[in-house]
Amino acid sequence: FLLDPESPAASDEEILKRLCQNSKSVEDFIELTAGLGGRWAILLKFGPSFIVFTDAAATRSVFYHVDQNQRVWLATQPGLLAEKFGFTESEESKEFRASPEFTRKVEVWWPGESTPFAEVKQLLPNHLLDLGTGKVKRYWPNKPLSQYSLQDGVQVAGNILKGVLAAAHQRYPLAMSLSSGLDSRTVFAACKDFAGDMLVFNMKYRNYTDESDDVRVPAQMAQTLKLNNYKVFDCR
């Protein structure tokens, strides 16, 4: 799904039509997606070019394998390609998974474009994959980045965040996980115009109690805002 912060009511189809109508090249099309939020992968055929690229954070993952005939295979998970072709876990992957950096983390990550299988790569954010050649190319940044004062930057970023969330609110029923952290409180502030329409919740887990900051602060915020839709889920 695509979300346009400047046109929150626009549907996926409307956004895609506008992208196509205003593009004269692959580069134009990609440039026009720069302001979009959402979670998506786009397969784009434009003249002789045939590429795939993702949303800015690559939250819609694309994994790929280039076979011996130079054909490109795509999947949403690396294990699907491994199952299809009979790939086994690489020695580098086994070593990485046994490392302290991997074993001590509750939430793990894979470095760069790597996956558990040497034959499978992940498409990185701000990169495109040419489906004709199997080659990867970084498409952004492609020019010097604009600089903003702190005040102007806050205004620009704040408008984008509010617009993306307003677009999501028009499309879907929303749920907001709220903690005492700056990131969730910032997102929650951007939702203030429709906070009463969302399920706002907090999770009490591990050794958390009602006095823990991540439980106490959201409860205080919900009480201050008189939210009737606030819930605490005991996950211990």
Side-chain angles (χ1 to χ4, degrees):
F1 61 93
L2 303 114
L3 301 174
D4 187 346
E6 295 186 1
S7 301
S11 66
D12 289 339
E13 185 176 354
E14 289 168 340
I15 294 171
L16 286 171
K17 282 183 176 179
R18 187 180 72 231
L19 293 173
C20 292
Q21 291 167 354
N22 295 327
S23 301
K24 296 181 179 179
S25 66
V26 167
E27 291 75 19
D28 284 351
F29 191 101
I30 292 176
E31 183 74 20
L32 290 171
T33 67
L36 299 178
R39 185 173 184 265
W40 44 266
I42 290 179
L43 293 159
L44 175 64
K45 196 171 192 309
F46 208 116
S49 300
F50 193 16
I51 68 163
V52 60
F53 71 106
T54 65
D55 58 86
T59 58
R60 187 68 175 96
S61 299
V62 171
F63 296 90
Y64 64 95
H65 164 66
V66 182
D67 68 18
Q68 58 186 6
N69 297 315
Q70 297 304 300
R71 292 178 300 181
V72 181
W73 298 76
L74 305 178
T76 56
Q77 299 176 42
L80 295 173
L81 291 168
E83 183 178 343
K84 166 72 176 176
F85 292 98
F87 300 144
T88 57
E89 185 178 6
S90 67
E91 292 303 315
E92 290 84 355
S93 171
K94 294 177 183 177
E95 183 179 338
F96 174 60
R97 289 198 302 109
S99 68
E101 290 78 13
F102 189 97
T103 55
R104 69 170 173 240
K105 289 184 180 294
V106 176
E107 298 177 4
V108 298
W109 56 273
W110 287 85
E113 62 180 9
S114 66
T115 75
F117 314 100
E119 302 88 349
V120 181
K121 304 297 183 186
Q122 180 172 9
L123 187 60
L124 294 175
N126 304 313
H127 287 67
L128 63 83
L129 173 62
D130 188 316
L131 298 175
T133 65
K135 302 296 184 183
V136 172
K137 175 185 175 183
R138 174 182 276 277
Y139 63 79
W140 186 88
N142 56 2
K143 57 188 175 184
L145 299 179
S146 301
Q147 295 196 13
Y148 298 88
S149 68
L150 177 60
Q151 184 174 357
D152 290 343
V154 167
Q155 189 66 50
V156 170
N159 288 339
I160 292 173
L161 185 58
K162 288 183 69 175
V164 167
L165 290 164
H169 175 240
Q170 296 225 15
R171 295 261 196 108
Y172 311 110
L174 300 182
M176 171 78 212
S177 174
L178 187 59
S179 73
S180 65
L182 178 61
D183 50 359
S184 73
R185 288 187 290 116
T186 301
V187 173
F188 185 61
C191 296
K192 64 181 180 182
D193 292 339
F194 47 85
D197 298 336
M198 301 189 301
L199 167 64
V200 184
F201 69 94
N202 178 264
M203 294 182 292
K204 189 189 298 182
Y205 57 94
R206 295 183 190 147
N207 59 345
Y208 282 6
T209 69
D210 289 340
E211 299 306 313
S212 301
D213 288 346
D214 276 344
V215 180
R216 176 179 54 82
V217 173
Q220 291 175 342
M221 294 171 65
Q223 184 176 11
T224 300
L225 296 173
K226 297 180 172 60
L227 290 181
N228 296 321
N229 50 338
Y230 177 74
K231 293 186 177 181
V232 177
F233 295 105
D234 193 336
C235 308
R236 287 173 294 181

